[in-house]
Amino acid sequence: MRGTGSDPGYISLDPFPGLKVEIVATRRFLDDKCKEKRYSLCMIKSFRHAGLEKFFKSGSKAGIQPDHAGKLNRQLTRLNVATQPVDMNVAGWAFHRLSGNLKDCFAVSVNGNWRLTFKFEGEDAHLVDYQDYH
């Protein structure tokens, strides 16, 4: 039942006869907690691609391929909470370690030849780039 108490966030659950569980939470409290967690969990520390950084921070598609926006959003969101490179190993993203001069970097496929590349230092992602290669 919702709204049975004086608090609009009041929720009462009765999953089993005779057992009563009450959860009380206000929307403002939950919103504050989500904001707090979002800012404390940011793992992307630096970008190499200015358009990608602008997209990540404001949603502007000016510096990226507009048809890549959906997938880039999912990938950047995941990278932002990742604590190690393997966290980006998602089916269909072709996660791989780079070689040569970039042997400390990793990449996931965005679309065609476009890749999101990044390097981890500790638990933070650095030098996040968006590039067309191969």
Side-chain angles (χ1 to χ4, degrees), residues 52-66:
L52 186 65
E53 182 174 14
K54 189 173 181 181
F55 173 70
F56 178 69
K57 291 181 176 180
S58 71
S60 171
K61 298 177 190 173
I64 64 166
Q65 297 287 322

Side-chain angles (χ1 to χ4, degrees), residues 9-104:
Y10 180 88
I11 301 172
S12 176
L13 303 174
D14 193 5
F16 304 102
L19 177 65
K20 188 145 186 127
V21 178
E22 293 182 352
I23 300 172
V24 178
T26 64
R27 183 173 303 228
R28 186 169 86 53
F29 175 76
L30 292 175
D31 287 345
D32 288 345
K33 283 294 186 185
C34 290
K35 287 177 188 172
E36 181 181 309
K37 286 182 182 179
R38 177 176 179 218
Y39 292 116
S40 66
L41 292 177
C42 289
M43 299 297 167
I44 298 177
K45 298 298 183 189
S46 65
F47 287 85
R48 291 188 70 192
H49 191 282
L52 186 65
E53 182 174 14
K54 189 173 181 181
F55 173 70
F56 178 69
K57 291 181 176 180
S58 71
S60 171
K61 298 177 190 173
I64 64 166
Q65 297 287 322
D67 55 326
H68 295 173
K71 192 166 189 181
L72 278 171
N73 185 49
R74 290 188 300 276
Q75 290 174 332
L76 289 169
T77 299
R78 178 130 181 144
L79 184 60
N80 198 41
V81 297
T83 58
Q84 56 188 343
V86 74
D87 292 342
M88 294 298 290
N89 192 8
V90 174
W93 288 5
F95 169 77
H96 59 282
R97 179 186 288 272
L98 300 178
S99 58
N101 292 338
L102 300 173
K103 67 179 182 175
D104 295 329

